[in-house]
Amino acid sequence: MGEMSSFQLGVIGALFLSVASSVSIVICNKALMSNLGFPFATTLTSWHLMVTYCTLHAAQRFKLFENKSIDMKTVMLFGILNGVSIGLLNLSLGFNSIGFYQMTKLAIIPFTVLLETLFLKKQFSQKIKLSLLVLVFGVGIASVTDLQLNLVGTIISLLAIATTCVGQILTNTIQKRLNVSSTQLLYQSAPFQAAILFVSGPVVDQFLTKKNVFAHKYTSIVLAFIILSCIISVSVNFSTFLVIGKTSPVTYQVLGHLKTCLVLGFGYTLLHDPFTDRNIVGILVAIFGMGLYSYFCTQENKKKQSGGDLPLPSQTKDKDGTPLLLGGIKNMVHQEKDSHEVKKSAKDSLV
């Protein structure tokens, strides 16, 4: 019971940190891009990841956490996949209308549920599916406006959805299969995410904004907001891995839509953004859906505990015959886990 209470407190802390840091960075970045004229989102994200890595490297040198070796191929593929997903999401915004971009983000939840059901054999109850439907419907009412379709934009959006879903599923899977912490996984994958965005970011930003990030005039106030954004990003990146590792990719997406509702509310109260009755109704419906999701997850968790089922709802059972989609990563994960177990047994035999 003590371990379970500690785990629940850890989950609550991770959720709170994720919401607080994400809302803070959105407000900071909105001021930077809208008010100060710095529109280079993809390049800024690469700086976020570099600062995150440097911060974690310093923390590791001061023995604040223990580094754990992970197979290089696994880390590289995982880091590149996450970097590509960020670039594709930004490209999706450039090629599509804002309404279609919001629909792309909403589609991540059902796609994640579909992938986990098909490839990880995870079961979602009808009540959970209903609560997710209510949530997506509410956020759609609050945030989706115009829907303009085009072939290139649709293809990019589908690729963005696929890479984002797989990346978040792997974030959860790798942590549990290899028994690594969110900090250890982020520390090793951040350089690869940063590298691919550092190379592609200026190109993507120039295509979207018709401006050169290196030719931008960096005033002291712009630099101050960039530094502030990078500092907050350390908490954002850390809490993202922490939440997905402690809960599930679907729960993280639900949390993401809570952030959307909070950002809309803060935008209205602090930045005086236009707000309509449709926004209010959508946010209320979305919050109701989040409440249903939280309630049903709690009830199912209690049933599993009372039935002597120790694994948490976010955990999935291992199956033989891993499908091709995640086969390569899982094989590397299993090989790495086996090597850790061999090393541990060898070490124990020497004691």
Side-chain angles (χ1 to χ4, degrees):
M1 290 298 293
E3 291 182 359
M4 182 58 64
S5 299
S6 177
F7 178 82
Q8 290 174 345
L9 288 175
V11 171
I12 293 172
L15 296 175
F16 177 79
L17 179 63
S18 180
V19 171
S21 58
S22 295
V23 173
S24 299
I25 202 169
V26 166
I27 294 174
C28 177
N29 288 348
K30 185 168 184 177
L32 179 62
M33 296 177 186
S34 301
N35 300 336
L36 299 176
F38 186 86
F40 310 107
T42 309
T43 303
L44 181 62
T45 303
S46 72
W47 297 345
H48 288 169
L49 288 164
M50 284 190 288
V51 170
T52 298
Y53 172 72
C54 292
T55 303
L56 291 178
H57 183 69
Q60 193 268 333
R61 294 294 296 270
F62 281 104
K63 308 297 183 183
L64 296 181
F65 73 94
E66 181 182 355
N67 187 27
K68 188 173 184 178
S69 178
I70 306 176
D71 178 71
M72 184 58 66
K73 290 182 181 179
T74 302
V75 174
M76 283 184 62
L77 184 58
F78 174 72
I80 291 172
L81 179 66
N82 279 304
V84 169
S85 72
I86 294 171
L88 286 172
L89 280 171
N90 288 341
L91 276 177
S92 175
L93 180 58
F95 274 93
N96 297 300
S97 63
I98 295 177
F100 192 81
Y101 172 73
Q102 291 293 342
M103 285 297 295
T104 298
K105 293 176 68 177
L106 288 176
I108 293 175
I109 281 185
F111 268 80
T112 302
V113 171
L114 178 64
L115 288 178
E116 290 196 311
T117 301
L118 292 178
F119 297 104
L120 296 181
K121 308 303 180 185
K122 183 173 181 179
Q123 300 298 320
F124 294 87
S125 68
Q126 293 299 321
K127 292 180 179 180
I128 292 293
K129 293 178 182 178
L130 175 62
S131 64
L132 292 174
L133 180 63
V134 173
L135 165 65
V136 171
F137 180 68
V139 176
I141 294 175
S143 61
V144 176
T145 52
D146 58 317
L147 286 176
Q148 300 176 11
L149 302 179
N150 66 84
L151 179 61
V152 176
T154 302
I155 293 174
I156 291 175
S157 293
L158 290 174
L159 291 173
I161 292 169
T163 53
T164 300
C165 292
V166 174
Q168 291 181 357
I169 290 172
L170 290 178
T171 301
N172 180 273
T173 302
I174 292 174
Q175 288 186 55
K176 286 181 166 54
R177 295 283 175 92
L178 289 183
N179 194 28
V180 296
S181 68
S182 56
T183 308
Q184 292 167 335
L185 180 58
L186 178 59
Y187 175 58
Q188 296 206 35
S189 63
F192 299 103
Q193 296 183 59
I196 192 168
L197 289 176
F198 188 76
V199 173
S200 62
V203 178
V204 172
D205 287 334
Q206 186 160 16
F207 175 79
L208 296 177
T209 65
K210 310 302 180 185
K211 297 178 181 179
N212 189 337
V213 63
F214 300 110
H216 187 76
K217 184 178 180 181
Y218 292 87
T219 62
S220 57
I221 185 69
V222 169
L223 288 173
F225 269 86
I226 290 175
I227 293 172
L228 178 61
S229 179
C230 288
I231 293 173
I232 300 174
S233 72
V234 177
S235 178
V236 172
N237 291 323
F238 173 73
S239 62
T240 296
F241 278 62
L242 190 62
V243 169
I244 295 176
K246 284 185 174 294
T247 58
S248 71
V250 173
T251 299
Y252 176 73
Q253 285 299 322
V254 171
L255 188 68
H257 292 309
L258 171 60
K259 299 170 192 175
T260 299
C261 295
L262 290 175
V263 167
L264 288 173
F266 278 116
Y268 173 71
T269 56
L270 300 179
L271 304 177
H272 306 292
D273 289 341
F275 215 63
T276 65
D277 292 340
R278 174 178 170 175
N279 296 132
I280 297 174
V281 171
I283 289 175
L284 291 176
V285 172
I287 292 175
F288 177 68
M290 293 173 204
L292 286 178
Y293 177 79
S294 177
Y295 175 76
F296 290 144
C297 283
T298 302
Q299 292 301 310
E300 291 186 7
N301 192 23
K302 288 181 179 179
K303 288 181 180 179
K304 289 186 177 184
Q305 290 176 24
S306 62
D309 192 359
L310 293 179
L312 295 168
S314 61
Q315 294 176 322
T316 57
K317 296 180 180 179
D318 295 339
K319 301 286 182 181
D320 294 329
T322 302
L324 291 176
L325 176 65
L326 300 177
I329 283 286
K330 284 187 176 181
N331 286 336
M332 289 186 284
V333 167
H334 282 304
Q335 291 172 4
E336 179 67 13
K337 185 176 182 180
D338 291 340
S339 66
H340 280 303
E341 290 175 350
V342 170
K343 292 177 181 177
K344 183 178 179 181
S345 60
K347 182 178 178 182
D348 291 341
S349 66
L350 293 175
V351 177

